[in-house]
Amino acid sequence: MNKVIKNKLYNTQSATQLADWDNGYPRMDPLYVKENLYIKKTGEYFIHAYGGAATQYAEQSGNNQFTAGEILLPITFEEAENWAKEKLQVEVYDKIFGINPGTENKEEVGIYLKIPAVLDKRMRFKLQREKDPKIKTIGNYIISLIKKDLNDNEEGDEHE
């Protein structure tokens, strides 16, 4: 599905689906709801939602008649986080946003990063050989690279 909203294109085919949730009703039930969280290449989030004839996503098909419907809904990063906290299991939330909502450190932010598969393989291979136990995860490895880069840049700034 794709739709232009406020002069911006939202397309489920070109965006990356981060998570999905449904309310547990059978798909053909009028109360069935399914919501999918997406992120665009630009970093913008949106929800693609589908619902049966008795849900908030229903579309009117005649006088007092409704049928299943679907929408695309642009949301902010904070709204995406709140949606995920409300709808997803902690492990899924943590994979998307990088922090556990139950032990959230307000001084950290979650990021979503897409990298080429070949870099992912090389990075995982390097991590298997890593001797420092503090750098055994991808997240810690990326943090160490960012810190190193920032320190190198700060030292370079001092000499100018």
Side-chain angles (χ1 to χ4, degrees):
M1 178 179 193
N2 66 60
K3 187 174 185 179
V4 175
I5 303 170
K6 294 185 181 179
N7 294 324
K8 294 182 179 181
L9 177 64
Y10 295 86
N11 185 340
T12 58
Q13 297 298 313
S14 61
T16 300
Q17 183 178 337
L18 299 175
D20 66 336
W21 169 87
D22 71 56
N23 62 1
Y25 284 89
R27 182 158 170 76
M28 299 309 293
D29 193 293
L31 293 173
Y32 175 77
V33 171
K34 181 167 184 166
E35 297 175 350
N36 304 289
L37 177 64
Y38 286 87
I39 187 168
K40 294 172 51 174
K41 292 175 186 166
T42 58
E44 297 165 279
Y45 292 87
F46 68 96
I47 298 282
H48 171 237
Y50 169 87
T55 69
Q56 69 267 36
Y57 304 119
E59 296 176 358
Q60 193 162 4
S61 60
N63 280 346
N64 294 328
Q65 294 180 340
F66 293 87
T67 185
E70 62 183 325
I71 65 162
L72 290 180
L73 177 66
I75 59 175
T76 65
F77 173 79
E78 290 79 17
E79 290 169 327
E81 271 192 314
N82 289 334
W83 178 91
K85 285 177 187 176
E86 181 183 323
K87 309 277 185 176
L88 304 177
Q89 294 179 355
V90 171
E91 298 81 22
V92 178
Y93 175 95
D94 194 42
K95 284 181 185 175
I96 297 169
F97 296 103
I99 50 177
N100 181 320
T103 60
E104 191 171 355
N105 179 344
K106 296 296 182 188
E107 295 181 21
E108 293 182 346
V109 295
I111 62 169
Y112 173 76
L113 177 66
K114 245 177 132 169
I115 62 172
V118 67
L119 288 180
D120 180 59
K121 287 179 185 175
R122 290 176 62 196
M123 182 172 46
R124 289 177 190 279
F125 180 74
K126 181 175 174 71
L127 286 174
Q128 288 174 351
R129 298 177 309 174
E130 182 61 50
K131 302 212 182 324
D132 184 348
K134 294 178 186 172
I135 305 179
K136 282 291 187 181
T137 67
I138 291 173
N140 287 343
Y141 178 63
I142 292 170
I143 289 169
S144 72
L145 292 174
I146 292 169
K147 284 180 179 177
K148 181 182 181 314
D149 182 64
L150 292 175
N151 287 337
D152 289 350
N153 286 336
E154 286 175 6
E155 289 171 10
D157 291 343
E158 291 173 7
H159 300 294
E160 292 180 4

